Amino acid sequence: MGAMFEHPVDVRWRDVDALGHVNHAVFLTYLEEGRDALYARIVGGDPIYVVVRIEIDLRAEVRYPDRKVTVRIEVERVGTTSLTTRETILTPGGKEAAHARVVSVRWDAGLGQPVPFSDADRAQLAAAMAT
């Protein structure tokens, strides 16, 4: 698709470790917050999906005084039930703090199985990526 979806995420005091920077594990939470916002825009309501694969490269520190980062998401592939995205965490100065490739699957928690993206979902995804 090529378009970008962006979502701001607050840096919380609890995210910072003894070295004074955001702990690497928290970067996954930041990416999840961005992905949740994207899924909410696609299907509305609470996003229900599972992550089945994630690769992440950590590039730069994020520190508490940064206060906010931006999660940028680009859709690489839409499958029947899966969504492959390229996700980036940017510092307030625009520096890439982390870059990830994520495969998530839309999920029906009641049935415990994947849910296909409908044509309407695909249209919503295209609209979300255009804004």
Side-chain angles (χ1 to χ4, degrees), residues 3-113:
M4 304 273 180
F5 173 82
E6 291 188 346
H7 182 74
V9 176
D10 291 330
V11 175
R12 298 163 291 261
W13 174 251
R14 67 176 172 85
D15 299 346
V16 179
D17 63 18
L19 296 175
H21 61 242
V22 172
N23 185 275
H24 66 279
V26 177
F27 279 45
L28 298 173
T29 301
Y30 293 169
L31 295 173
E32 180 180 42
E33 288 184 38
R35 202 175 321 109
D36 284 354
L38 175 63
Y39 264 93
R41 193 175 277 185
I42 296 169
V43 298
D46 290 331
I48 300 177
Y49 64 92
V50 294
V51 172
V52 297
R53 181 170 175 76
I54 189 164
E55 304 166 30
I56 186 168
D57 294 313
L58 306 172
R59 303 277 189 213
E61 286 185 316
V62 173
R63 302 184 76 74
Y64 181 68
D66 290 335
R67 296 292 199 210
K68 196 171 288 289
V69 295
T70 299
V71 174
R72 180 180 288 165
I73 301 175
E74 183 176 7
V75 173
E76 182 178 289
R77 179 182 177 278
V78 181
T80 303
T81 62
S82 68
L83 185 65
T84 303
T85 51
R86 297 276 182 185
E87 303 179 5
T88 305
I89 298 172
L90 300 169
T91 67
K95 187 173 185 178
E96 184 177 294
H99 183 78
R101 183 171 184 262
V102 181
V103 179
S104 56
V105 173
R106 190 159 173 224
W107 195 253
D108 183 318
L111 297 176
Q113 65 185 32

Side-chain angles (χ1 to χ4, degrees), residues 1 38-44 78 80 106 116-129:
M1 290 196 167
L38 175 63
Y39 264 93
R41 193 175 277 185
I42 296 169
V43 298
V78 181
T80 303
R106 190 159 173 224
F117 286 103
S118 68
D119 290 340
D121 295 333
R122 291 170 189 277
Q124 285 287 75
L125 179 58
M129 298 306 292

